[in-house]
């Protein structure tokens, strides 16, 4: 409730931006509201009469085609949640496992993958890839509050957390009660989700198992397939009977880290040991995304397309840069340039426009007209010597097309220097 903590929470919520909740108030409108109603807002929090509004149901597509359900709290509720999270995080960090990496300060998915490669080098060549069905939607509230009481003794804080858990959901115009779950979308949800699965971490640690957990993605590492199935049966019993969450038997697997995917990565092995690499699924997915951005019939300006590609690929390269992927990126660079040349050729449309453009790029009148009237298909034309020598890689870069190989090298150099 300190002024400094609430101000910091407001600043963080504003930085995160995000959409408005059910009241329609944006992060830019909340400051004037707080200035006008600050005393009443603080008083309601202090005396326990503050009631969080229902979260707004939003669904976003997952990579596998299904939908992920998010619950977006109002901006005011996000500020309160953020203020609570800021105070609780240092307390809970002391009890969280060193094998847990998701939604924690100074920890990342890359750190989790580095741990995985070390485990493989230590002889843990089998993994139990646990998949929990709709984990965030099925967390038991009573159990969660029981676990919270192990670390938080303040009844006021516990009451506030319970209120956020039971505030309900507005699905369009329909109100739905929330008897279970911690809706993804609020600042406090990742922290509560980690508190709940910290019980699994404690069990695995007590039994001496090697594991890496990132939120609800948990991989347990063993030295034989037989041990893998034995541990899976035991852990499934604990998760379903004690924690009351469901293990998805169809997606949960025991196998080799060289074949199974974790956080978008799989492992490879060389004479120097194990190394991370983007999974085949991740590679296919990014190619699909680039293909959508460079569709011939999009009708967008090149500057817009180049900006979209930069936005997509800088984040992707940053995330996967700890993996071995230079050859894949070189191939993708070549393929992407061909996609752009194809797009430009389609954009020029008529032979006259094509001939004029080619002459500007250095071709003679006769050469330009001869090529402009080609009947070859777009993809074949994009690979022709004429287009590769006129719409050169350097010209594309100057226009704004990201050079994926150079960007990756720059990211890797910064990481080494850091």
């Amino acid at each position: 409730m300190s002024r400094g903590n609430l101000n910091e929470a407001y600043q963080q919520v504003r930085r995160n931006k995000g959409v408005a909740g059910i009241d329609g108030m944006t992060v830019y409108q909340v400051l004037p509201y707080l200035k006008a109603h600050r005393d009443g807002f603080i008083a309601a929090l202090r005396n326990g009469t503050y009631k969080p509004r229902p979260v707004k149901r939003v669904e976003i597509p997952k990579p596998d085609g299904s939908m992920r359900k998010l619950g977006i709290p109002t901006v005011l509720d996000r500020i309160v949640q953020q203020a609570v999270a800021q105070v609780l995080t240092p307390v809970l960090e002391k009890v969280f496992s060193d094998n847990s990496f998701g939604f924690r300060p100074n920890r990342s998915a890359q750190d989790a993958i580095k741990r995985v490669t070390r485990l493989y080098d230590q002889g843990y060549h089998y993994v139990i890839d646990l998949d929990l069905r709709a984990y965030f939607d099925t967390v038991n509230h009573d159990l969660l509050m029981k676990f919270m009481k192990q670390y938080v003794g303040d009844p006021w804080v516990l009451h506030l957390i319970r209120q956020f858990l039971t505030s309900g959901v507005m699905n369009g115009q329909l109100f739905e009660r929330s008897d279970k779950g911690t809706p993804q979308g609020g600042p406090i949800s990742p922290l509560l989700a980690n508190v709940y699965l910290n019980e699994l971490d404690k069990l695995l640690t007590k039994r001496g198992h090697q594991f890496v957990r990132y939120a609800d993605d948990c991989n347990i590492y063993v030295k034989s397939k037989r041990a893998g199935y034995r541990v899976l049966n035991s852990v499934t019993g604990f998760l379903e009977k004690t924690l009351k969450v469901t293990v998805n038997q169809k997606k949960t697997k025991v196998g080799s880290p060289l074949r199974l995917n974790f956080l978008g990565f799989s492992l490879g092995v060389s004479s120097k040991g194990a190394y991370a690499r983007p999974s085949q699924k991740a590679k296919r997915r990014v190619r699909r995304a680039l293909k959508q951005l460079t569709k011939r019939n999009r009708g967008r300006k090149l500057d817009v397309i180049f900006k979209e590609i930069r936005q997509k690929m800088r984040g992707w390269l940053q995330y996967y840069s700890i993996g071995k992927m230079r050859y894949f990126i070189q191939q993708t660079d070549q393929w992407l340039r061909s996609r752009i040349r194809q797009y430009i050729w389609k954009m020029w449309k008529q032979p006259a426009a094509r001939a004029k453009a080619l002459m500007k790029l250095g071709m003679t009148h006769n050469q330009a007209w001869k090529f402009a009237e080609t009947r070859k298909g777009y993809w074949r034309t994009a690979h022709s010597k004429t287009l590769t020598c006129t719409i050169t890689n350097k010209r594309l870069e100057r226009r704004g097309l990201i050079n994926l190989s150079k960007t990756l090298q720059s990211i890797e150099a910064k990481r080494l220097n850091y």
Side-chain angles (χ1 to χ4, degrees), residues 10 32 112 196 203 206 241 271 289 311 352 359 409:
Y10 161 74
Y196 202 82
L203 176 82
K206 183 180 177 182
K241 292 175 185 176
S271 57
Q311 289 172 339
M359 283 187 278
Q409 288 168 18

Side-chain angles (χ1 to χ4, degrees), residues 264-275:
F265 289 87
S266 61
L267 295 189
V269 181
S270 70
S271 57
K272 296 179 181 178
Y275 59 85

Side-chain angles (χ1 to χ4, degrees), residues 26 198 269 286 333 336 367 384 407:
T26 69
N198 190 51
V269 181
V286 77
D333 253 334
L336 181 59
Q367 287 173 329
S384 68
T407 305

Side-chain angles (χ1 to χ4, degrees), residues 108-330:
S108 66
Q110 287 92 336
D111 295 326
I113 295 302
K114 288 173 185 175
R115 180 73 59 85
V116 168
T117 59
R118 288 202 296 272
L119 287 173
Y120 191 90
D121 287 339
Q122 291 167 16
Y124 293 92
H125 292 176
Y126 290 88
V127 59
I128 304 146
D129 184 11
L130 277 175
D131 186 275
L132 302 180
R133 183 180 290 130
Y135 166 67
F136 285 90
D137 298 327
T138 57
V139 167
N140 184 285
H141 288 174
D142 292 333
L143 281 176
L144 174 56
M145 296 311 299
K146 175 186 170 184
F147 301 149
M148 285 296 300
K149 286 176 185 176
Q150 297 176 87
Y151 316 116
V152 180
D154 190 311
W156 180 87
V157 173
L158 293 169
H159 172 70
L160 191 56
I161 290 171
R162 172 73 84 164
Q163 282 194 307
F164 278 118
L165 290 171
T166 57
S167 62
V169 176
M170 287 300 295
N171 195 349
Q173 298 298 313
L174 184 66
F175 173 78
E176 298 174 1
R177 291 181 58 189
S178 48
D179 299 321
K180 58 184 179 179
T182 59
Q184 296 179 77
I188 205 169
S189 293
L191 192 63
L192 299 180
N194 269 335
V195 168
Y196 202 82
L197 283 181
N198 190 51
E199 299 303 305
L200 172 63
D201 297 348
K202 290 195 290 188
L203 176 82
L204 295 174
T205 302
K206 183 180 177 182
R207 293 181 179 177
H209 294 310
Q210 299 292 338
F211 68 98
V212 176
R213 183 172 67 79
Y214 192 94
D216 59 328
D217 288 324
C218 184
N219 276 8
I220 306 168
Y221 294 85
V222 292
K223 293 190 174 181
S224 72
K225 186 173 275 193
R226 185 177 177 183
Y229 283 111
R230 186 181 69 246
V231 172
L232 173 58
N233 289 335
S234 172
V235 169
T236 298
F238 174 79
L239 286 166
E240 297 192 336
K241 292 175 185 176
T242 305
L243 294 189
K244 301 187 187 305
V245 293
T246 304
V247 175
N248 188 334
Q249 298 294 344
K250 288 183 179 179
K251 292 186 177 179
T252 295
K253 297 169 185 171
V254 177
S256 168
L258 306 180
R259 294 176 179 272
L260 298 181
N261 302 331
F262 183 49
L263 304 177
F265 289 87
S266 61
L267 295 189
V269 181
S270 70
S271 57
K272 296 179 181 178
Y275 59 85
R277 59 186 177 185
S279 68
Q280 291 300 319
K281 191 181 288 186
K283 291 177 182 178
R284 286 195 298 270
R285 198 179 295 150
V286 77
R287 282 285 188 102
R288 259 199 315 270
L290 290 173
K291 198 170 184 178
Q292 283 295 114
L293 292 177
T294 56
K295 280 176 69 175
R296 292 198 311 263
N297 60 358
R298 282 196 72 199
R300 299 286 185 93
K301 290 182 178 179
L302 276 181
D303 293 343
V304 173
I305 289 174
F306 288 167
K307 183 181 178 182
E308 290 173 341
I309 293 171
R310 282 197 305 274
Q311 289 172 339
K312 171 71 183 174
M313 292 309 298
R314 276 185 178 150
W316 195 92
L317 290 169
Q318 192 76 46
Y319 182 79
Y320 286 103
S321 61
I322 63 164
K324 191 174 181 179
M325 59 170 179
R326 285 194 178 186
Y327 180 64
F328 170 72
I329 291 301
Q330 288 168 3

